[in-house]
Amino acid sequence: VAPDGYDASAYPRFSVTVDVVILSVVDGRLHVLLLQRRDEPFAGSWALPGGFKRPDETLDEAARRELLEETGVDAPKHLSQFGAFGDPGRDPRDNIVTIAYLAVTPDIGRIIAGDEALVAGLVPVEEVVTGERVMAFDHERIVRDAIERAAEQLEDTDLATAFVGPRFTLSELQSVYEAVWGDQLDPANFRRSLAQPMLISEYVVPTGERADVGPKGGRPPELFEAGEAWGDVGSPVRRTRRKPRPSENPPEGRQKGRS
Amino acid sequence: VAPDGYDASAYPRFSVTVDVVILSVVDGRLHVLLLQRRDEPFAGSWALPGGFKRPDETLDEAARRELLEETGVDAPKHLSQFGAFGDPGRDPRDNIVTIAYLAVTPDIGRIIAGDEALVAGLVPVEEVVTGERVMAFDHERIVRDAIERAAEQLEDTDLATAFVGPRFTLSELQSVYEAVWGDQLDPANFRRSLAQPMLISEYVVPTGERADVGPKGGRPPELFEAGEAWGDVGSPVRRTRRKPRPSENPPEGRQKGRS
DNA sequence: CCAAAAGTGTTATGTCTACACCCATGA
DNA sequence: TCATGGGTGTAGACATAACACTTTTGG
């Protein structure tokens, strides 16, 4: 950390912010909460909610506070740090290093636009990754990374239950996986993959009760609720392993290159 | 990010540092590079190499620079960010936010102690996690997180090859997995698990040549080299999935709680 | 020949996928 | 009764773990 014979003012200092990527599944599609900026720079562009870290709070506390201030969500079921971004030019005004957090909520009804922004709302992530929705700063990159992280965490944590309400059907839960992974899952196998953990009440536990049927009829599904919190142990549902494809689409050396 | 009608000096500012956890496997045991601090605070305690980010460089560049300055290692095969730490009291002198990086090297011969430290050296991680080796700041926590990250990355990236030299035997590679996971692997199955990727030259590729035999004789092993870089696609070796044990050792809701 | 390490075969067991099939409800 | 999801069964493909066995070297 800091060298020894040291004078704080002798070293460059930075503003430190916390940005929160809030993901939610609406109508089977993954959405992210964005604010439209009112002022320069990037007036009119879309940005993530976030704000300055205070000296007397931890990064986690700063993220929780910003989330509460900007969306009214308190004590989210899932809030985790996934990256730090500090490229020199990322904010044209100043040297700002930001710590990015992933939050997940069930479909939120109303979003309150703060006074810093024109509007706030959940927009389909597809619009962000295609570039259709123009993002401020390096926020497109941050959103991409958040989605990637969420996809990973679905695989070996109970993250999915943070997308749904306190009681949910397995179809709802399945649609979370499908929305985040952009993939179709077999309902029969999906159900089965939860079978062992279900027995020991870890991941999801059946509540005997049934939900109302959908608009088009069908058998009323059983309601489940989240089991004991257990973080990242075990493996509820596994994403199909990419087989080493025979020849097409060569692996292409990727570099994480966060900065 | 930063609010709009904004004056940089109106917000608290922080020093930003980069700390590097350099892991290496020596004699089948996982080691971490530490420096013993010369001055207060924490004089005599052990700390990670690291230093201040400069305004004109990215975080990745800062990490690479610090790694080079402190150890002479240039262009490491693996260098990745894994967390940010900013608890208010983590440095008693000042508000410092640090971005932590994981680097991996083959067994390095000589470590040069810089003028900031008494000594530098690779110490077994076991001494750190048991508390036997007293760490400065929150560096024990950071080392723990780094090891956890490394263990994860062994499972689905080519990280293991960064621990060994350009040419290596499968036994050497296996001992990397064993050291990081603290686990024994069956050589026969280990070899097989690399079989499919090996065929398409992705993960490790055989070089027809053989290494010298060890001190106790035995058949001379074949030498391999790392295949095309391919980051985090595929799955070379899988860690045995913790089965939901029938009843013992309940999952205990964990919270990441980084800060 | 023996010890030691590399490397191959084999088998039992488990997991995943695909898909056929039954169940419960509204219209 | 039909359409629409919810939910169960099952057979083949595949992956894994355990361990017996063969190969190649040095002493």
Side-chain angles (χ1 to χ4, degrees), chain B residues 43-246:
Chain B
S45 294
W46 295 79
L48 294 167
F52 287 95
K53 170 180 167 13
R54 299 174 180 161
D56 60 346
E57 66 186 356
T58 66
L59 291 166
D60 285 6
E61 286 163 358
R64 182 164 289 110
R65 177 176 54 75
E66 290 294 340
L67 179 62
L68 178 61
E69 288 177 5
E70 310 245 14
T71 69
V73 174
D74 195 6
K77 198 163 164 190
H78 182 90
L79 183 65
S80 69
Q81 184 190 304
F82 70 89
F85 300 82
D87 279 8
R90 63 178 296 280
D91 189 313
R93 297 163 299 181
D94 196 11
N95 291 321
I96 298 188
V97 172
T98 198
I99 315 298
Y101 277 78
L102 168 65
V104 163
T105 70
D107 186 354
I108 308 179
R110 190 82 197 87
I111 308 290
I112 318 96
D115 45 307
E116 298 167 7
L118 289 171
V119 266
L122 291 170
V123 316
V125 296
E126 201 205 341
E127 296 181 13
V128 175
V129 301
T130 60
E132 179 186 343
R133 178 83 55 163
V134 179
M135 301 290 289
F137 311 104
D138 50 2
H139 286 193
E140 179 177 331
R141 168 78 192 287
I142 295 177
V143 170
R144 284 177 191 277
D145 283 11
I147 295 167
E148 196 176 312
R149 165 63 66 102
E152 288 167 16
Q153 297 210 145
L154 278 190
E155 213 169 358
D156 45 22
T157 74
D158 57 357
L159 177 64
T161 60
F163 279 97
V164 295
R167 317 182 123 225
F168 49 88
T169 69
L170 294 190
S171 299
E172 288 180 278
L173 199 63
Q174 179 179 338
S175 83
V176 168
Y177 285 86
E178 292 179 331
V180 177
W181 287 346
D183 216 353
Q184 293 277 104
L185 300 178
D186 181 321
N189 297 333
F190 178 79
R191 165 178 302 272
R192 231 187 312 275
S193 72
L194 304 180
Q196 300 106 325
M198 199 158 59
L199 291 177
I200 52 173
S201 311
E202 274 198 337
Y203 184 39
V204 292
V205 315
T207 71
E209 294 173 51
R210 319 197 139 268
D212 295 335
V213 307
K216 285 177 289 196
R219 173 173 173 173
E222 185 167 11
L223 280 171
F224 291 78
E225 55 191 23
E228 299 292 308
W230 48 292
D232 54 0
V233 182
S235 184
V237 181
R238 225 148 331 185
R239 190 155 35 158
T240 310
R241 297 249 164 231
R242 288 154 195 16
K243 303 241 175 224
R245 22 261 185 292

Side-chain angles (χ1 to χ4, degrees), chain A residues 1-6 8-9 11-19 37-41 47-61 64 77 79-88 90-91 93-99 101 115-117 137 139 148-149 152 155-156 196-197 200 202 229-235 238 241-242 244-246 250-259, chain B residues 1-6 8 11-19 37-41 47-61 64 77 79-88 90-91 93-99 101 115-117 137 139 148-149 152-153 156 196-197 200 202 228-235 238 241-242 244-246 250-259:
Chain A
V1 90
D4 299 325
Y6 138 110
S9 58
Y11 292 96
R13 293 170 80 78
F14 298 82
S15 293
V16 173
T17 60
V18 168
D19 287 332
R37 288 177 60 81
R38 198 186 51 192
D39 301 324
E40 294 295 338
L48 295 167
F52 288 93
K53 169 179 170 13
R54 298 174 181 161
D56 60 346
E57 67 187 356
T58 66
L59 291 166
D60 285 6
E61 286 163 359
R64 182 165 289 109
K77 198 163 162 193
L79 183 66
S80 69
Q81 183 190 305
F82 71 89
F85 300 82
D87 278 8
R90 62 177 297 280
D91 189 313
R93 297 163 300 183
D94 197 9
N95 291 321
I96 298 187
V97 171
T98 199
I99 316 297
Y101 277 79
D115 46 307
E116 299 168 6
F137 310 105
H139 286 192
E148 196 177 313
R149 165 63 66 101
E152 287 168 16
E155 212 169 358
D156 46 21
Q196 301 104 323
I200 51 173
E202 274 198 338
W230 49 292
D232 55 359
V233 181
S235 184
R238 226 148 331 185
R241 297 251 163 229
R242 295 167 188 6
R245 23 267 185 290
E252 98 177 72
R254 311 165 64 189
Q255 184 61 19
K256 278 290 195 181
R258 194 181 279 116
S259 52
Chain B
V1 92
D4 297 326
Y6 137 111
Y11 292 95
R13 292 169 81 76
F14 298 81
S15 293
V16 174
T17 59
V18 169
D19 287 332
R37 290 178 58 81
R38 200 186 47 194
D39 301 324
E40 292 297 335
L48 294 167
F52 287 95
K53 170 180 167 13
R54 299 174 180 161
D56 60 346
E57 66 186 356
T58 66
L59 291 166
D60 285 6
E61 286 163 358
R64 182 164 289 110
K77 198 163 164 190
L79 183 65
S80 69
Q81 184 190 304
F82 70 89
F85 300 82
D87 279 8
R90 63 178 296 280
D91 189 313
R93 297 163 299 181
D94 196 11
N95 291 321
I96 298 188
V97 172
T98 198
I99 315 298
Y101 277 78
D115 45 307
E116 298 167 7
F137 311 104
H139 286 193
E148 196 176 312
R149 165 63 66 102
E152 288 167 16
Q153 297 210 145
D156 45 22
Q196 300 106 325
I200 52 173
E202 274 198 337
E228 299 292 308
W230 48 292
D232 54 0
V233 182
S235 184
R238 225 148 331 185
R241 297 249 164 231
R242 288 154 195 16
R245 22 261 185 292
E252 93 176 77
R254 314 163 63 189
Q255 184 64 21
K256 279 290 196 176
R258 197 183 276 114
S259 50

Side-chain angles (χ1 to χ4, degrees), chain A residues 33-198:
Chain A
L33 180 72
L34 297 180
L35 315 175
Q36 190 170 26
R37 288 177 60 81
R38 198 186 51 192
D39 301 324
E40 294 295 338
F42 296 105
S45 293
W46 295 79
L48 295 167
F52 288 93
K53 169 179 170 13
R54 298 174 181 161
D56 60 346
E57 67 187 356
T58 66
L59 291 166
D60 285 6
E61 286 163 359
R64 182 165 289 109
R65 176 176 54 74
E66 290 293 339
L67 180 62
L68 178 62
E69 289 177 6
E70 310 244 13
T71 69
V73 174
D74 196 5
K77 198 163 162 193
H78 182 90
L79 183 66
S80 69
Q81 183 190 305
F82 71 89
F85 300 82
D87 278 8
R90 62 177 297 280
D91 189 313
R93 297 163 300 183
D94 197 9
N95 291 321
I96 298 187
V97 171
T98 199
I99 316 297
Y101 277 79
L102 168 65
V104 163
T105 71
D107 188 354
I108 309 178
R110 190 82 198 87
I111 307 290
I112 320 96
D115 46 307
E116 299 168 6
L118 291 168
V119 267
L122 290 171
V123 316
V125 295
E126 201 204 342
E127 296 182 11
V128 175
V129 300
T130 60
E132 181 185 344
R133 178 84 53 165
V134 179
M135 301 290 289
F137 310 105
D138 51 1
H139 286 192
E140 178 177 330
R141 167 76 192 289
I142 295 177
V143 170
R144 284 176 190 277
D145 282 11
I147 296 167
E148 196 177 313
R149 165 63 66 101
E152 287 168 16
Q153 297 208 147
L154 280 190
E155 212 169 358
D156 46 21
T157 74
D158 57 356
L159 177 65
T161 60
F163 279 97
V164 296
R167 321 183 119 223
F168 49 86
T169 68
L170 294 190
S171 298
E172 289 180 277
L173 199 64
Q174 180 179 340
S175 82
V176 168
Y177 285 87
E178 292 178 331
V180 177
W181 287 347
D183 217 352
Q184 294 275 106
L185 298 178
D186 181 321
N189 297 332
F190 178 79
R191 165 177 303 274
R192 232 189 309 276
S193 72
L194 305 180
Q196 301 104 323
M198 200 157 59

